[in-house]
Amino acid sequence: MLASKKILLIVGGGIAAYKVLELVRRLRERGASVTPVLTRAGEEFVTPLSLSALAGQKVYRDLFDLTDEAEMGHIQLSRSADLVVVAPATADLMAKMAGGLANDLASTLLLATDTPVLIVPAMNVRMWTHPATGRNRAQLAADGVRFVGPNEGDMACGEYGPGRMAEPAEILAAIDSQLGDKPLAGKRILVTSGPTHEPIDPVRYIANRSSGAQGTAVARALAALGADVVFVTGPADVPPPEGVEVIRVETARNMASVVQTALPVDAGVFAAAVADWRVTSASDRKLKKTRDGVPALEFAENPDILKTVSHLEEDRPPLVVGFAAETEDVVANATSKRTRKGCDWIVANDVSPATGIMGGQENAVILITDDGAEEWPRMPKELVAQKLARRIADALAD
Ligand code: CTP
């Protein structure tokens, strides 16, 4: 929670500015107070009225506003917060920050502040990858500025690549990790994530549709609550979170042996979509259709990592959480899976194609524990992760 934390939110001019309205709402729900500062360019994308209504505070816009200066001078404004957040941080704002310019209210506040600064870049792909932005980014990082994103994806300008602003839930997690309580400080938690790839030959493999988004979000949320996270990931689509120990693996057998060496831990969250089978004897040369014809692949069962860890005599983590990907009879299948695997909790989800969950942004889960099945409403994967991380913190505190 962010009760009584004060955030100075500088809103720059970018199409992503609309997302900060959601961010303000969520910050206030968590008890934070938000003082908005809107740049001239920002005003082209969100109105002062909507920002002020959601923040429940006046919006600061001008450096030379006599009334504002009489009420609270800009130096005081820059230092009155626990954290300064810049979202969206445009290429222009980043350049001003890196160069130490102070020619409007936002840049002046950023130069005058003695408070930690978190920036959320958002810009066109070429602007982000331009060497000038690269230099500014390196300078800002060296100055101690923290970054959230940008993400890679389709952009409003029609291009694709890095530059898209991080989602409100990701920004919230970063703010939490900076300002929130740390109930998991001193706890070591293992998270597996992503798919595994099982080779057929040096160029081909068997995979599944897991993007790694849910496991990544869980790791990020646990780290935000202060946990030391060991993140064991197969080849996922999404980048691993910051601030965790990342161990990359390819096959189920790689994952099993890395998990073994990561023990003991206080809790293990097994979100990986581990391949159940591997090709018995993967070829060490490329299979040629001219020479080998249609291959008849034989399969062997992979080690069940969750089941093995749940049944360890020594080193069984005090809390073991599995995931269940089901396409039918979700509660019944997941409940029997919990017993079969021997884990404490199962986070079950319906991954039928119609739900759009596998590879998508949202999840609708049912948490199965000793107390039965608890259905959570459909929500972004980041929020599922935050809710689960809180539950894990509560369980480890008992
Ligand atoms: N799991 C694992 N090792 C495996 C297979 C699965 O650790 N070889 C873990 C997953 O990370 C997940 C849980 O087991 O936490 C359930 O995975 P799921 O694919 O839903 O179950 P399966 O074991 O494949 O069972 P079934 O084929 O009956 O669905």
Side-chain angles (χ1 to χ4, degrees), residues 189-200:
I189 303 188
L190 167 79
V191 179
T192 70
S193 181
T196 62
H197 285 180
E198 307 298 329
I200 295 171

Side-chain angles (χ1 to χ4, degrees), residues 231-255:
F231 184 64
V232 183
T233 177
D237 295 342
V238 296
E242 308 228 330
V244 306
E245 180 189 341
V246 181
I247 306 177
R248 292 173 204 274
V249 297
E250 191 183 340
T251 66
R253 287 194 294 177
N254 296 154
M255 189 175 271

Side-chain angles (χ1 to χ4, degrees), residues 128-169:
W128 176 253
T129 52
H130 194 285
T133 307
R135 284 194 298 276
N136 293 335
R137 190 178 153 193
Q139 183 60 57
L140 291 171
D143 292 346
V145 170
R146 290 194 53 213
F147 287 70
V148 193
N151 292 343
E152 192 168 310
D154 287 322
M155 311 205 50
C157 52
E159 292 184 36
Y160 182 92
R164 212 163 84 156
M165 190 166 100
E167 295 303 318

Side-chain angles (χ1 to χ4, degrees), residues 209 236 329:
R209 292 186 198 281
D329 299 333

Side-chain angles (χ1 to χ4, degrees), residues 288-343:
K288 302 285 286 174
K289 66 173 179 283
T290 41
R291 188 165 57 187
D292 303 307
V294 178
L297 298 178
E298 230 183 81
F299 290 93
E301 198 168 329
N302 270 329
D304 189 321
I305 305 166
L306 174 64
K307 192 170 176 181
T308 309
V309 171
S310 298
H311 287 94
L312 287 175
E313 300 245 314
E314 260 178 59
D315 283 349
R316 184 198 191 274
L319 180 65
V320 179
V321 183
F323 273 67
E326 305 292 343
T327 53
E328 58 201 335
D329 299 333
V330 178
V331 173
N333 279 333
T335 305
S336 64
K337 194 170 277 181
R338 174 172 169 264
T339 317
R340 205 167 61 242
K341 303 257 187 180
C343 57

